[in-house]
Amino acid sequence: MSDHYQVPETPAQENISFELNGEAVTRSAPSAETLLDILRESGQITSARAGCRVGRCGACQVLLDGRAVPSCLVMAWQLPGHHVETVEGLNKDPDFLSVRDALASESALQCGYCTPGFAVSLVAGIRQRRQGSTVDLTESVAGNLCRCTGYGGLRRAIDQLSAPGCPDEADGQGASLSENQ
Amino acid sequence: MTHENPPGIAGNLTTLDGDSVRNSASKMDLTQRIEGRLAYATDQRHLPGLLYGAILRSACAHALITRVDISQALGMPGVHAVIKADDVPGLNRFGIVIRDQPVFCDERVRYEGDAIAAVAADTPEQARAALNAIEVDYQPLPVVSDAALAEQQIALHNSHEKHGGSNLLARETLECGDIDDAFARCAVVAEHQYQTPRQMHAFMETEGGVAIPDGKGGVLFRVGCQSGHRDAEQLADILGIPHEQVTVEAMATGGAFGGKDELTVQPAAGLLALKTGRPVMIHLDRFESCRTGIKRHPVSVKMTTGCDAAGRLLAHKVEAILDTGAYASLGPAVLENYLDHATAPLYRIEAYRVSGRLVYTNNGVCGAFRGFGGNQATFAVESQLDALAHSLGVEPAALRRINLRSPGDAGSRNQTVRWTAPPADVLTAAVASPLWSRHDTDTGRWLTGTGMAMGAQGNGLGDGLPDSGGGRISLSPAGRICVEFGFSDYGQNIVESITRSVCNGVGCRETDVEVALGSSRGPDSGPTSASRSSVLVHSVLASILPRWIGAVRGHAARLSGHPEEGLEFGPGGMFFNGRQVLSYRELAESASPDEMAASASRDFPVAPDSGQPVGRYLQLQIATVARVAVDRLTGRVRVTDLHHVTAAGRVIYPPGYLGQIEGAAVMGQGMALTEDMTTRDGSYLADNLDQYLIPTFHDAPLQRVDVLDDTPEDDPFPVRGVGELGIEAVAPAITAAIEAATGVRVRRLPVDPGDLLVAMAAKEQTL
């Protein structure tokens, strides 16, 4: 059998406390468990998704203290004292709403499995930009893979988000979409 | 955006751009997906009593199995069941065309993804630990790894006697005219060998889902798949239970592209669910997905093509070998579609002999993949046309123009063909692309060039295969207009497209419509493949909408007291003189559900010729113009632009149409430049997305899609499926552009930068 499936002796569980979408949480997990598994095991968070588990595809991207990181590469022991955000916790965030509206209006997704990861990367880029960095949003999604769209809609959405005055002035225009739900 | 047509084009040429997307994007479904609220098959962790399944895969590419011992695994912590071949109560075989793939191997393994046993445990870690405790003894057999030699080597399937017990699974020859006589009259002949790669679908959601026992011997499957009804049939046979006891509910699926057409995790999950009486989830990780999943057939082909001094194609000979891997899956159908496309459906050729052989090897398993053999063939055919043009000293476009079929001409297999625009007009629009006039000054490092290729793509399963599909419309108790089809939703915008068609046909608004897809309890629409869904949706709706509208209007008239003629469907309900008189909910409440339902099944349109239908009736076309930059230091190729001209009927949902073309094109670019699941001695050399490189945002070109719609008003099939069209001509357009940039024609994909550099250096020396 391949080494790939070698599982060590059952590792000790530890109580891991961190902030998840603005709330203090404590999870029992081995210290080397990935943030991705910790998030998904709860059943509450489904937006972070396993695509490759080697940090290549970005489908599990989350914000760790505001920076976009693949949650498959963050270990439980690295979490205490840090703040994790997923799109489940961003649904009132003006930057996320701008990103969401741009992605939706440009039809920048098909199957959508990768899309929350792209959204997280773009939100991180927009926040950096607001803090004064010169950010090329296309660089923000360099670590995200999409197999469906050929990135055409994403390019258009990024153009929209990079237009002068947008989305730093975002004020929750996302409300325009909610009437359909 | 409609712009001025290039001269000589009758139809309407429209650019699908950001404006056309923004003006029509339906956001209902999209926001759910962006916010992560849409549940995928692999998201179902909340099920009470859920167990995690894992599958033991072969350690060898080819071996006899002499012993499988599960006794130790059974006693591992958290383990609820361990099963192997003798635990399969029904048929221990599956496969869409030929059931030749064991659910669990007991005598022999034929590729390194073969399943031997499976475990259900409380946690994924426990399940994997138990897999490690299963002991298997192998007696290795010689590995058949070269498709060209496979027929002379040890046969993978003893029982396969059709071709003398060899590894030849299928062979087929299509012929037309006297090829020897035609070659004798050729002024120029091009003969070349082409090779296309074993491309991986690389859907972002790997294969997975859950099987849920109903406690009465039946099982519900919620798994990413492409054909609920067909899967249910195969699964019932494997589980050894009546068909009615198997239900498949396709969930939102994170991409498929053909790679989920065959059964994946369902057999093991279903058997474990029945054995344990608990729901079982299996979700392959990327490593296991790479190792076990279906791939695109690699094709090695020799093409010999000749024309007369005026450029008229006279003779065309094709000898192809397709490596189907260890099991048939859809290989025989892929061979057929490959050969169909190898006859060059766009062009008149006096005589051809197109033959192909499909062989078993120990190199994984190949099957359905967007393009389905067609794009592999088109790569070689279009390259041949360029070779002839160069020999004759004429423009590639000019050579094509001489030979393109006209509307009214029979197809390449002498069948009736229905185009939606004259092929010559597609060519004219492509020749007018602004990419041709972009004359970049070549810097010292980058060489740029522009090239073009054309492609034809048929809709439907083709060649006389049973092909029909049904759908149903009803008014739900909550007053929603509910439309059901059996197709799966894996991101192809089928929900939006159906919704748009219903709104257009009925006069309601998007939020009045609810689309239900992919249940084996609902209508059987056939597989979600072969670019057939859009055609069938349109055809079924054309049949059921008028009946349903009549029934609902009649009922509304009786209920409201208004005359039928004045009652109009509108947003939220029925209107009379501009005023809403009944809501859909009120209508629904006043009638039994069956009173206001209509359903129909339609046969897929095939050529109305006498005898066995062959070839594709509904034909689409594409011309792709590519502009590339080749790095003189590394040989790397960047595709900077792709400009497509498509003729594929009417556009129902612009964002979907555009997205399908753009997405397929970048997938084709991957096949042309980086993607190949190389095997050595039957083992894949790549096992994750860090080694198998699919295009990123920064690899993707700028794209423009121009739609040429010259569909006659009264065309009975004005809507065609465009899921595969965009991949058809990309690879040969890219290699034509590379040739324009460097003088080197690449005939082996993916383009090897090292080989290209060497060839460029040789070219420069001879200049």
Side-chain angles (χ1 to χ4, degrees), chain B residues 469-511:
Chain B
R472 183 173 189 270
I473 184 167
S474 60
L475 205 53
S476 79
R480 305 290 297 281
I481 300 172
C482 183
V483 189
E484 296 164 77
F485 282 93
F487 300 115
S488 305
D489 172 14
Y490 42 77
Q492 71 279 46
N493 292 117
I494 187 171
V495 173
E496 292 84 352
S497 162
I498 293 172
T499 305
R500 196 58 50 94
S501 296
V502 170
C503 289
N504 291 346
V506 171
C508 57
R509 66 185 172 197
E510 276 187 13
T511 46

Side-chain angles (χ1 to χ4, degrees), chain B residues 91-162:
Chain B
L91 183 67
N92 185 16
R93 290 285 185 280
F94 65 97
I96 296 172
V97 177
I98 303 167
R99 296 195 187 183
D100 62 356
Q101 181 162 2
V103 174
F104 297 119
C105 299
D106 54 352
E107 294 169 347
R108 186 173 184 178
V109 287
R110 298 177 181 85
Y111 84 115
E112 57 167 20
D114 255 331
I116 296 170
V119 174
D122 288 322
T123 70
E125 293 76 19
Q126 289 168 336
R128 288 184 176 183
L131 288 187
N132 278 327
I134 297 174
E135 292 176 17
V136 182
D137 292 342
Y138 300 94
Q139 188 183 312
L141 293 169
V143 174
V144 180
S145 58
D146 185 343
L149 305 176
E151 288 176 53
Q152 287 80 50
Q153 295 176 325
I154 176 174
L156 269 69
H157 295 267
N158 297 330
S159 57
H160 188 68
E161 296 298 339
K162 192 169 156 196

Side-chain angles (χ1 to χ4, degrees), chain B residues 729-755:
Chain B
V730 172
I734 288 173
T735 51
I738 293 171
E739 186 174 23
T742 65
V744 175
R745 187 73 185 200
V746 180
R747 303 182 198 279
R748 181 189 182 91
L749 300 182
V751 176
D752 184 287
D755 291 351

Side-chain angles (χ1 to χ4, degrees), chain B residues 192-196 301 303 305 316 338 375-385 732 745 747:
Chain B
H192 293 287
Q193 190 78 30
Y194 299 87
Q195 179 76 41
T196 51
V301 63
M303 284 197 185
T305 314
H316 180 53
Y338 179 90
N375 57 322
Q376 290 101 305
T378 298
F379 168 65
V381 166
E382 290 291 303
S383 303
Q384 286 289 91
L385 289 188
R745 187 73 185 200
R747 303 182 198 279

Side-chain angles (χ1 to χ4, degrees), chain B residues 9-255:
Chain B
I9 293 180
N12 192 15
L13 192 66
T14 311
T15 302
L16 285 183
D17 55 9
D19 289 335
S20 45
V21 169
R22 282 186 294 277
N23 291 339
S24 58
S26 163
K27 292 154 192 137
M28 295 157 57
D29 189 51
L30 297 186
T31 50
Q32 272 194 54
R33 291 181 195 247
I34 299 165
E35 291 171 354
R37 289 187 286 115
L38 189 74
Y40 292 79
T42 53
D43 280 338
Q44 307 168 83
R45 295 200 170 212
H46 55 278
L47 297 168
L50 182 68
L51 299 177
Y52 292 87
I55 301 170
L56 179 69
R57 306 290 179 176
S58 172
C60 306
H62 200 190
L64 297 176
I65 299 177
T66 53
R67 186 177 69 102
V68 180
D69 184 352
I70 60 171
S71 54
Q72 216 187 322
L74 278 166
M76 300 278 286
V79 169
H80 291 256
V82 183
I83 56 173
K84 54 191 179 70
D86 46 17
D87 295 299
V88 181
L91 183 67
N92 185 16
R93 290 285 185 280
F94 65 97
I96 296 172
V97 177
I98 303 167
R99 296 195 187 183
D100 62 356
Q101 181 162 2
V103 174
F104 297 119
C105 299
D106 54 352
E107 294 169 347
R108 186 173 184 178
V109 287
R110 298 177 181 85
Y111 84 115
E112 57 167 20
D114 255 331
I116 296 170
V119 174
D122 288 322
T123 70
E125 293 76 19
Q126 289 168 336
R128 288 184 176 183
L131 288 187
N132 278 327
I134 297 174
E135 292 176 17
V136 182
D137 292 342
Y138 300 94
Q139 188 183 312
L141 293 169
V143 174
V144 180
S145 58
D146 185 343
L149 305 176
E151 288 176 53
Q152 287 80 50
Q153 295 176 325
I154 176 174
L156 269 69
H157 295 267
N158 297 330
S159 57
H160 188 68
E161 296 298 339
K162 192 169 156 196
H163 294 292
S166 83
N167 284 317
L168 181 64
L169 166 60
R171 71 174 156 211
E172 203 178 329
T173 299
L174 306 176
E175 280 184 282
C176 161
D178 183 341
I179 193 171
D180 296 326
D181 174 64
F183 269 121
R185 287 182 285 117
C186 287
V188 185
V189 174
E191 181 171 293
H192 293 287
Q193 190 78 30
Y194 299 87
Q195 179 76 41
T196 51
R198 189 184 308 276
Q199 189 180 23
M200 180 164 70
H201 303 71
F203 27 68
M204 296 312 296
E205 182 188 34
T206 48
E207 301 88 337
V210 292
I212 308 166
D214 66 5
K216 294 175 283 190
V219 186
L220 166 65
F221 290 87
R222 289 203 190 122
V223 177
C225 70
Q226 298 185 225
S227 179
H229 282 264
R230 192 183 55 207
D231 289 356
E233 276 174 35
Q234 288 212 64
L235 289 166
D237 293 344
I238 291 165
L239 299 172
I241 59 180
H243 187 190
E244 313 80 73
Q245 285 191 281
V246 175
T247 306
V248 175
E249 280 177 9
M251 306 268 297
T253 298

Side-chain angles (χ1 to χ4, degrees), chain A residues 5 40 100 106 111 147, chain B residues 22 35 40 43 132 675:
Chain A
Y5 289 116
R40 288 189 67 84
R100 186 192 71 177
E106 303 291 352
C111 84
R147 188 56 156 171
Chain B
R22 282 186 294 277
E35 291 171 354
Y40 292 79
D43 280 338
N132 278 327
E675 296 184 33

